[in-house]
């Protein structure tokens, strides 16, 4: 990538820029907020997110899966609404995640998804038929799940 970001950058908004890939993009380690919503990003494989990111907005892209994605360990808010994610089986979300929006995807099941105990708000409206909401409720009793 030919773009060089300032090394002390804390917040970066690249919303609505027709970005299709993050491969070979070198983001500054100082980033705390990254807004990549309303682009055309298809996958996140091999993307190296700065570990200090607390807010990551990837709403309204074309992301199909999260397998192999390494989200930052400090991530607290993750927005993945309006993508094409179908499967999350076996995926482990970062331990400090507090808010997760997966509305308007194509997710069929949340079986074997590993949500962190810190997670308090999970949005899963407008996905495929979700038959396993009750096991989620029993496994994560403090979790607020918005699914209707």
């Amino acid at each position: 990538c030919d773009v060089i970001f300032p090394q002390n950058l804390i917040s970066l908004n690249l919303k609505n820029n027709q970005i299709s890939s993050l491969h070979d993009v070198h983001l500054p380690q100082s980033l705390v907020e990254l807004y990549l919503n309303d682009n055309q990003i298809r996958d996140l494989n091999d993307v190296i997110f700065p570990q200090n990111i607390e807010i990551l907005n990837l709403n309204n892209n074309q992301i199909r899966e999260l397998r192999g994605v390494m989200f930052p360990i400090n991530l607290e808010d993750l927005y993945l609404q309006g993508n094409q994610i179908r499967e999350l089986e076996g995926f482990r979300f970062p331990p400090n995640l507090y808010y997760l929006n997966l509305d308007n995807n194509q997710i069929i099941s949340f079986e074997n998804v590993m949500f962190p105990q810190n997670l308090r708000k999970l949005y899963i409206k407008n996905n495929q038929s979700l038959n396993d909401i009750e096991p989620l409720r029993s496994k994560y009793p403090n979790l607020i799940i918005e699914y209707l």
Side-chain angles (χ1 to χ4, degrees):
C1 180
D2 295 335
V3 177
I4 298 174
F5 299 105
Q7 287 306 303
N8 59 350
L9 194 64
I10 294 172
S11 181
L12 179 59
N13 188 337
L14 294 172
K15 175 182 178 180
N16 201 17
N17 276 290
Q18 299 180 347
I19 297 169
S20 60
S21 175
L22 296 173
H23 297 292
D24 298 323
V25 174
H26 301 285
L27 298 165
Q29 291 300 311
S30 58
L31 273 184
V32 175
E33 300 176 0
L34 180 57
Y35 301 91
L36 291 162
N37 44 308
D38 303 302
N39 281 292
Q40 299 165 5
I41 300 168
R42 289 181 193 89
D43 74 76
L44 300 171
N45 292 337
D46 302 322
V47 175
I48 300 173
F49 292 105
Q51 289 303 304
N52 290 325
I53 290 181
E54 295 175 2
I55 300 171
L56 179 57
N57 190 328
L58 291 160
N59 283 349
N60 304 315
N61 278 284
Q62 299 170 10
I63 300 166
R64 294 177 187 262
E65 68 177 0
L66 298 180
R67 191 174 317 163
V69 176
M70 296 295 294
F71 287 115
I73 195 164
N74 292 322
L75 191 62
E76 295 176 3
D77 297 354
L78 178 57
Y79 300 84
L80 288 165
Q81 174 181 339
N83 281 284
Q84 300 167 10
I85 300 167
R86 295 187 60 84
E87 186 178 318
L88 291 171
E89 186 170 348
F91 189 78
R92 180 184 300 269
F93 285 94
N96 294 315
L97 198 63
Y98 182 87
Y99 174 96
L100 176 59
N101 191 327
L102 291 165
D103 286 347
N104 303 312
N105 277 283
Q106 300 167 10
I107 301 167
I108 297 167
S109 170
F110 286 95
E111 189 174 338
N112 297 322
V113 178
M114 290 166 249
F115 295 110
Q117 292 301 320
N118 271 5
L119 190 65
R120 292 295 171 260
K121 297 180 183 176
L122 175 63
Y123 293 83
I124 53 176
K125 297 178 201 163
N126 298 321
N127 279 284
Q128 300 293 327
S129 61
L130 295 172
N131 299 324
D132 52 2
I133 297 300
E134 289 311 313
L136 269 179
R137 288 189 187 283
S138 62
K139 188 172 180 181
Y140 303 98
N142 296 324
L143 182 59
I144 297 169
I145 302 173
E146 296 283 338
Y147 63 98
L148 295 176

